[in-house]
Amino acid sequence: MSSTAPPDKRRTALDALHRSLGATMTDFAGWDMPLRYGSERDEHNAVRTKAGLFDLSHMGEITVTGPQAAALLDHALVGNIGGVKAGRARYTMICRTDGGILDDLIVYRLAETEYLVVANASNAQVVLDALTERAAGFDAEVRDDRDAYALIAVQGPESPGILKSLTDADLDGLKYYAGLPGTVAGVPALIARTGYTGEDGFELFVRPEHAVELWQALTKAGEGVGLVPCGLSCRDTLRLEAGMPLYGHELSTELTPFDAGLGRVVKFEKEGDFVGREALRQAAARAETDPPRVLVGLVAEGRRVPRAGYAVVAGGEVIGEVTSGAPSPTLGKPIAMAYVDAAHAAPGTPGVGVDIRGSHEPYEVVALPFYKRRK
């Protein structure tokens, strides 16, 4: 394992720190990111039972400001962004004119005329280009702020206590899908509560030069309650157990939000036109009369792990395709998400299997998510 990142990879402000902790690094969307520090299972279980610390600085931050910032985002995205109150956030999508999903996003309304759009790392440039193009004619500015932020997340049941020890911000009043400015360990931060693990937790948007200081303060604050650094590998198994979609797996330009079972994010009732409206209206009508494949959970009866792209079968016929699969540390069995024909989507549907290298391994169809935390 090299001690430095390849020259063609982007590095986060925490790169040297990850290497000092012995992280196994991997390429992710052009970034050199920590895959794991030790045991993926231990990191996963720490988040489920105690707390985990993640570097998410590869995510794409785009700021939209100006008198018509809300109008621009309502035109560019499928959600009702103008209806989001300052200090709150919304999960939404940006689609092509044909309704295909370009990316799923979280949009924070920081002030009356200021929004922070957070895109997936692999799609950050695509989203930036689309927003810039769609801003024509609006009194609003689209700014690439990817280099202005480092993003650190602390996730797990112990995360509120850890963060409370470092800030006087009102964390108890901070609802799910909200954000507020504050100071954490002396560092100015946007403190958000969204998460991608199925657990309670917080995301801290800070200036890159403050990232190491904040990471170290969080590490020290979490020493007594089992906080551990966590890599992208356990982030994937955590979100899979929580039934959360990942772009490039459950979401793509080949699918509309209605194909992905996420038609609820499309707000036809909002004022004005928006990109993809007509195609999405047709997709919604099509879904009513000819149901698309349904995203379901699959739990293995055996030990073989399904992977993305494997065929889901029943009665000798292909009825769907696995989008994500991995061993589940929480369930103790391999699990997968898959799009399957509506006729085979009901939990408990008999005779369903996954074709793993020519062998049809039996799987139980279950409702998503696989795991839901106790409130």
Side-chain angles (χ1 to χ4, degrees), residues 322-336:
V322 171
T323 54
S324 297
S328 165
T330 305
L331 275 64
K333 299 176 179 179
I335 60 172

Side-chain angles (χ1 to χ4, degrees), residues 38-59:
S39 158
E40 295 165 9
R41 180 179 293 271
D42 288 350
E43 291 172 26
H44 179 110
N45 290 334
V47 176
R48 286 277 177 259
T49 61
K50 297 169 185 175
L53 193 59
F54 296 83
D55 179 9
L56 304 180
S57 302
H58 60 312
M59 300 294 281

Side-chain angles (χ1 to χ4, degrees), residues 304-307 310-311 354-361 363:
R304 298 187 73 182
V305 179
R307 299 296 182 190
Y310 285 11
V354 176
D355 185 339
I356 301 181
R357 298 189 181 90
S359 173
H360 289 189
E361 301 288 329
Y363 273 75

Side-chain angles (χ1 to χ4, degrees), residues 12-337:
T12 78
L14 293 162
D15 183 79
L17 190 149
H18 297 317
R19 294 170 193 282
S20 74
L21 293 172
T24 299
M25 306 297 284
T26 188
D27 171 51
F28 187 85
W31 290 81
D32 212 36
M33 297 296 295
L35 184 65
R36 70 181 78 81
Y37 298 84
S39 158
E40 295 165 9
R41 180 179 293 271
D42 288 350
E43 291 172 26
H44 179 110
N45 290 334
V47 176
R48 286 277 177 259
T49 61
K50 297 169 185 175
L53 193 59
F54 296 83
D55 179 9
L56 304 180
S57 302
H58 60 312
M59 300 294 281
E61 294 87 8
I62 302 161
T63 301
V64 181
T65 57
Q68 290 189 299
L72 162 59
L73 291 171
D74 276 339
H75 166 70
L77 312 180
V78 301
N80 181 4
I81 308 305
V84 178
K85 294 179 180 175
R88 298 306 302 268
R90 183 152 296 168
Y91 176 78
T92 188
M93 294 181 181
I94 182 168
C95 291
R96 303 191 306 194
T97 53
D98 67 0
I101 303 166
L102 284 172
D103 201 14
D104 61 334
L105 312 164
I106 295 178
V107 180
Y108 298 90
R109 189 168 197 166
L110 304 181
E112 186 63 27
T113 60
E114 183 179 4
Y115 293 83
L116 180 65
V117 178
V118 181
N120 286 296
S122 57
N123 294 330
Q125 190 64 48
V126 169
V127 174
L128 176 67
D129 291 346
L131 286 176
T132 301
E133 181 183 324
R134 295 174 190 186
F138 288 92
D139 187 3
E141 179 193 353
V142 176
R143 187 173 70 236
D144 181 1
D145 270 348
R146 282 177 287 180
D147 293 334
Y149 290 103
L151 179 56
I152 296 173
V154 55
Q155 295 277 307
E158 297 288 350
S159 58
I162 292 168
L163 202 55
K164 280 179 184 177
S165 72
L166 297 174
T167 183
D168 58 5
D170 180 17
L171 299 185
D172 290 334
L174 185 65
K175 298 174 181 173
Y176 189 51
Y177 266 73
L180 83 168
T183 303
V184 182
V187 170
L190 170 64
I191 306 168
R193 197 173 204 162
T194 52
Y196 192 56
T197 62
E199 300 297 336
D200 193 10
F202 303 87
E203 296 74 47
L204 306 171
F205 294 84
V206 300
R207 293 190 62 79
E209 58 265 31
H210 295 146
V212 170
E213 175 188 352
L214 180 57
W215 180 283
Q216 291 172 337
L218 288 162
T219 299
K220 187 168 176 44
E223 276 176 356
V225 292
L227 176 78
V228 301
C230 293
L232 293 179
S233 184
C234 85
R235 188 167 183 249
D236 192 49
T237 53
L238 289 160
R239 71 92 195 167
L240 177 55
E241 287 184 351
M244 294 178 171
L246 176 64
Y247 195 89
H249 289 255
E250 288 72 43
L251 307 174
S252 74
T253 53
E254 303 305 307
L255 299 172
T256 73
F258 295 94
D259 297 322
L262 291 165
R264 64 182 182 275
V265 306
V266 181
K267 304 300 182 186
F268 292 117
E269 69 274 15
K270 65 179 176 177
E271 289 183 18
D273 195 15
F274 63 90
V275 177
R277 177 194 275 273
E278 185 51 39
L280 289 168
R281 193 179 292 285
Q282 291 175 20
R286 203 163 51 241
E288 290 290 321
T289 57
D290 181 19
R293 282 181 166 176
V294 179
L295 188 65
V296 301
L298 299 174
V299 178
E301 294 181 20
R303 309 302 303 172
R304 298 187 73 182
V305 179
R307 299 296 182 190
Y310 285 11
V312 182
V313 294
E317 300 290 324
V318 174
I319 60 156
E321 185 175 301
V322 171
T323 54
S324 297
S328 165
T330 305
L331 275 64
K333 299 176 179 179
I335 60 172
M337 287 199 285

